[in-house]
Amino acid sequence: MYVIVVYDVDVKRVTKVHRFLRTHLHWRQNSVFEGEVTRAQLYEIKRTLEGLIDGGDSVLIYELPRENFNLHIIGADKNPAGEII
Amino acid sequence: MYVIVVYDVDVKRVTKVHRFLRTHLHWRQNSVFEGEVTRAQLYEIKRTLEGLIDGGDSVLIYELPRENFNLHIIGADKNPAGEII
């Protein structure tokens, strides 16, 4: 499956969340990550994020059956090199 | 088609972008909107956003064939009431 992850977390926890997501996904924009994952990996990502976030933090994970979308980028492409881990 | 819009814009322009997107889509989280649109509406959304944003601002529009995903929300659900315009 393919996931798009968007986080909205307190600045105190941004670095931890960002660093963790980089180990599983590729970075698309400021607070957006994407990538192909297995069901087990998705479970692990969710479990770890639950431990990392706090307070009013929120993370959305869109789970798509496959990478089946067109991406329109308006303005700056924050990750033109496609930083893939 | 169904779109997921994620914006990363300077605080000076957040209100304008947010207000505009509210007229076409429903708000999901801080800087995330979603909704069913026609091709003409998508074109209009892109054109208007191009006029609203500036500098290093960036907006991602994921265009999916249809609303075909599971959404996992970790932490706070910023929009539990499903504010739909």
Side-chain angles (χ1 to χ4, degrees), chain A residues 4-51:
Chain A
I4 302 166
V5 178
V6 187
Y7 64 81
D8 173 24
V9 305
D10 189 278
V11 67
K12 291 196 293 288
R13 291 177 289 277
V14 162
T15 305
K16 265 192 194 167
V17 168
H18 188 96
R19 279 195 186 143
F20 165 68
L21 288 172
R22 276 181 61 174
T23 64
H24 288 274
L25 302 166
H26 62 272
W27 180 58
R28 174 67 79 177
Q29 188 210 61
N30 200 19
S31 55
V32 183
F33 283 80
E34 276 177 36
E36 193 72 39
V37 293
T38 63
R39 186 155 297 279
Q41 285 170 323
L42 174 57
Y43 176 79
E44 172 62 18
I45 288 170
K46 287 176 67 175
R47 224 173 60 105
T48 305
L49 286 171
E50 277 160 10

Side-chain angles (χ1 to χ4, degrees), chain B residues 29-83:
Chain B
Q29 189 210 60
N30 200 19
S31 55
V32 184
F33 282 81
E34 277 178 34
E36 192 72 40
V37 293
T38 63
R39 186 154 296 280
Q41 285 171 323
L42 175 58
Y43 176 79
E44 172 62 18
I45 288 170
K46 287 177 66 175
R47 226 173 58 106
T48 305
L49 286 172
E50 278 162 8
L52 289 177
I53 68 172
D54 205 352
D57 294 348
S58 175
V59 183
L60 303 178
I61 303 180
Y62 291 92
E63 173 202 335
L64 315 179
R66 72 198 78 79
E67 190 179 353
N68 179 26
F69 54 80
N70 290 323
L71 176 59
H72 307 262
I73 299 175
I74 303 164
D77 185 352
K78 297 293 181 77
N79 188 26
E83 179 210 10

